[in-house]
Amino acid sequence: MDSKIVAYSRAPELGGSFDADGDLLLGAFFPLYYMKPEAARIRLSFLTQPKDEVAADRWLWKNYQYVLTFYFAIQEINRDEHLLPNKSLGFQWYNALASNSFTLLNALHWLTGDHSLTPNYRCQTRSKSVVVLAGTSSVFSAEMGTILELYKIPQLTYGPFDPMLNDKKQFPSLYQMATSDSSLARAMISLLLHFGWTWVGLLVSDDMKGEQFHQDIQAEMVKRGVCLAFAIKLPETKTMYETTGRSYLYLLSISSANVHILYSNIRGLFTMEHLGAYYLTVGKVWLMTAKWDIVVDETHHMLHSFHGGFSFSQHKGKIPGLKTFLKTVNPTHYPEDFYFRQLWFRFFHCLPAGSGCGHIGVCRPNASLDYVPGHIDMLSVSDSSYFVYNAVYAVAHALHRVFLEKVEMDFPEDTAQALILPWKLHPLLRTTQFTNNAGDHVSLHKATPHQEHYDIQNIVNFPAGLRVMVNVGKFSSGSGRDQGLVIWEDMIEWPVAFKEIPTSVCSQSCGPGFRKRPEEGSAVCCYTCASCAEGEISNQTDAEQCIQCPQLEYTNTERTHCLPKLETFLNLEDSLGMALACMALTLTLLTVMVLGVFVKHQDTPIVKANNRNLSYILLISLLLCFLCSFLFIGCPNTATCLLRQITFALVFTVAVSAVLAKTITVVLAFKAMKPGRTMRRLLVSGAPNAVIPICFLIQLTLCAIWLATSPPFVDTDAYSEHGHIILLCNEGSITAFYCVLGFLGSLALGTFTVAFLARKLPDTFNEAKFLTFSMLVFCSVWVTFLPVYQSTKGKVMVAVEVFSILASGAGLLGCIFVPKCYIILLRPERNCLEGFKKRTCSRRF
């Protein structure tokens, strides 16, 4: 018993094959095991004959499904009364050795029909083989195509689509059963964007196909805003002393990308000899191109590496009867198939009677491929198995058309002759189209455009090696952008390192209120978050630019929304407006009281001095000045905007010109005491009083020109105060406004100069000093007003002007009239001519 077990655990010789006779034969090559690395590195020498003894290093048990599907398709066709009637298909298949040294060895065995491998000789008198089915590796198919092209033998490949193999100038006799995966990059990017994964790693095979995919997916990434954290090319083979595997390990371990895209045959990963037992186990989500890349049986240490990953495969229908066939088939059905016996013994430790080796062990009654270890799913039809099925039927349909043409041309003797020259199949294969038993359309003419459909499957690994592929989504290439992507998130099982949907970004997302600011020298996915400026918002995540709020709106504190601005102005309800109004009202009352005192004591010397009428005019103008400040407080309208500056300018012109007239009166009064009649005549005639109407008319003319050219109007200020629109009066013509102020300032400066020159005159009934001081206060207020007025905005500017009006008016009122009221009310004994001479006088009753 033990010796038999050892015998069946050895690999067959390289030239070993399994065949079944038929009218027409199909040659096939299926990859069932890898060779040991030492055998792949045999040093070749032209002095000795190469050794063809190799040992199986790693069995690909899942790939045996290709063989069983091959059996099933041929069995179906041989039983079909409508397809190839009265003709039977046979086969002869070999293991496809993916090795630089032995790739063509089994191909030569098949061509020569003998193990001696004599070049340019065939040991078969007549060959019934018409076509070859070749493997999953494009490298193997290309090398096979080189030698098969010498005999014009058609080769149908059941591996993934490769653009290089589609070159009819280089491979005119090669046909790919897989359709183009030109939309695969778009499908993957759509899945990445669905979960917000914008920072990913890429591992591709180091060949033309890998390079093409690299270019395709990188172009799609640029268009869709996804970035590559790294890109690694996985070599198909590895030299003895190459240590690049360590660099791969290091790069993958330090990468911040949690999502990796693998576009390579899994054998590319086998070249990394330093992969640890749990190297890729946690923290990574893998996106793989198709299920033929997931050969889990020979990657026990990587089982949990792919857990939670995704596999993309082109959509295919279910082949009727195939799953039942896989459940019921056993080695007794194909007793000459050494590989089937090896697989059965490997998993069930027994061989049933009639399997070609006698009865070994005790097989359970329900022993079936349905009960092989969970990490080898023999019942789920792989993409390559599906293409094997289609390839056999494509050949059958082409052969059927050959015999139909012979019948139609009345060549019955040719019809009876089953042998067909392989090269005669090419015209028929190029135009072969049919609908298979799964309901899918099959065509070997790849030039016609077609819509691509992908099934997205989640890789789920359970304890004890159980693995399942769960359909969690689909993608259709004919839909716009991401509309063709459908994902059922509640069915997804994520890698063990993640409790929820993982993230894979270079920089954390910028929330609302922020925008992305690119980092110089980094990928576009790497950025910092900058807060939106004042007046700008962003109401979405990862905004490229902030949005400017409309003029009548402002940003909230978080800079996420624009809110309507509230209208505001210098209002009586504001504390500032209320304070100014109270100040204006107080000064108005004081002015009225002073005016009342002067009217009541109008016949006293101190009131009569310096022209009593000028005092009345000055007090009334000051009263109007204080009252005109109310034009600046409250909601602006057309009337108030037209009146406020004009009224202020005219009233203050009267007040300052009255002060100037009083100053001139003082000067003339002292000049009139000297001999000469001119000064006395001017004083008696009231000439100083003419200053007031003259100045008033000049200011009135300037104001009229102002109103005629560019009058003030109601305006808004949406920027001075956050969240508010300030209603204010626009002065219209700034030039006219400053001309009016300039005339008023010149008048005040002139008045101050005259008063300053008269300050040293005798002070008996002389108010020259008070006039000088009052004009000093007045000028100081307005000189200070100008820079402050220019540096403020909105209602603060209005408040500054109102305060200046009140302060300058209060200065005139206080400096000129308070001393007189003091004497009138508190020192009446000094309010007489004798009193001024003697500094005292008695009150008259």
Side-chain angles (χ1 to χ4, degrees), residues 91 201 266 568 752 799:
F91 56 82
I266 205 70
T568 185
F752 173 71

Side-chain angles (χ1 to χ4, degrees), residues 145 505 531 605 751 775:
V505 294
S531 177
T751 302
M775 291 311 300

Side-chain angles (χ1 to χ4, degrees), residues 542-834:
D542 287 338
E544 297 289 342
Q545 296 293 336
C546 296
I547 305 172
Q548 183 73 39
C549 283
Q551 185 177 1
L552 300 182
E553 296 180 355
Y554 73 100
T555 60
N556 59 350
T557 306
E558 293 79 16
R559 309 283 172 86
T560 57
H561 294 89
C562 293
L563 305 176
K565 291 183 178 180
L566 302 176
E567 292 185 348
T568 185
F569 45 85
L570 188 59
N571 199 348
L572 286 174
E573 297 178 358
D574 296 338
S575 57
L576 182 59
M578 180 64 70
L580 293 175
C582 292
M583 187 184 301
L585 186 60
T586 301
L587 292 174
T588 300
L589 294 175
L590 288 176
T591 304
V592 171
M593 293 173 59
V594 172
L595 181 60
V597 170
F598 267 58
V599 171
K600 183 178 180 180
H601 300 87
Q602 59 181 333
D603 294 328
T604 57
I606 198 169
V607 175
K608 295 168 65 177
N610 300 109
N611 198 325
R612 177 175 52 193
N613 293 332
L614 289 177
S615 297
Y616 292 157
I617 293 174
L618 180 57
L619 284 171
I620 293 173
S621 63
L622 288 176
L623 178 64
L624 295 176
C625 286
F626 296 140
L627 291 177
C628 82
S629 62
F630 286 99
L631 294 174
F632 293 83
I633 302 175
C635 183
N637 54 58
T638 304
T640 56
C641 286
L642 291 174
L643 289 176
R644 61 167 60 174
Q645 298 293 358
I646 303 301
T647 304
F648 153 70
L650 293 176
V651 171
F652 258 86
T653 298
V654 173
V656 176
S657 60
V659 175
L660 178 59
K662 289 175 71 67
T663 306
I664 294 175
T665 299
V666 172
V667 174
L668 292 179
F670 283 97
K671 294 292 184 180
M673 296 178 184
K674 298 182 180 180
R677 301 172 61 185
T678 303
M679 295 297 180
R680 183 180 295 276
R681 190 180 301 113
L682 291 174
L683 182 62
V684 173
S685 63
N689 296 343
V691 173
I692 298 176
I694 293 173
C695 294
F696 180 80
L697 289 174
I698 294 174
Q699 189 69 287
L700 183 62
T701 302
L702 293 174
C703 291
I705 295 173
W706 182 7
L707 293 177
T709 56
S710 182
F713 57 89
V714 180
D715 198 3
T716 58
D717 180 7
Y719 304 103
S720 298
E721 188 172 341
H722 180 71
H724 293 85
I725 300 175
I726 301 174
L727 300 179
L728 46 79
C729 292
N730 191 306
E731 312 306 340
S733 175
I734 299 298
T735 303
F737 173 67
Y738 281 107
C739 285
V740 170
L741 286 184
F743 175 76
L744 185 58
S746 301
L747 184 60
L749 185 60
T751 302
F752 173 71
T753 302
V754 174
F756 182 78
L757 294 175
R759 73 189 187 282
K760 293 185 178 180
L761 296 176
D763 60 354
T764 302
F765 287 122
N766 178 19
E767 55 183 2
K769 291 182 179 180
F770 299 123
L771 293 175
T772 302
F773 189 67
S774 66
M775 291 311 300
L776 178 62
V777 174
F778 184 90
C779 292
S780 299
V781 170
W782 287 103
V783 168
T784 306
F785 160 79
L786 289 175
V788 176
Y789 185 80
Q790 290 295 328
S791 62
T792 54
K793 298 292 182 181
K795 63 182 183 181
V796 178
M797 176 187 290
V798 180
V800 169
E801 186 171 1
V802 172
F803 180 79
S804 299
I805 292 172
L806 298 178
S808 58
L812 294 178
L813 180 65
C815 294
I816 296 176
F817 294 101
V818 169
K820 295 182 179 182
C821 290
Y822 173 76
I823 293 176
I824 293 172
L825 298 175
L826 300 179
R827 301 295 296 274
E829 68 276 4
R830 298 180 58 186
N831 193 8
C832 59
L833 294 175
E834 294 82 0

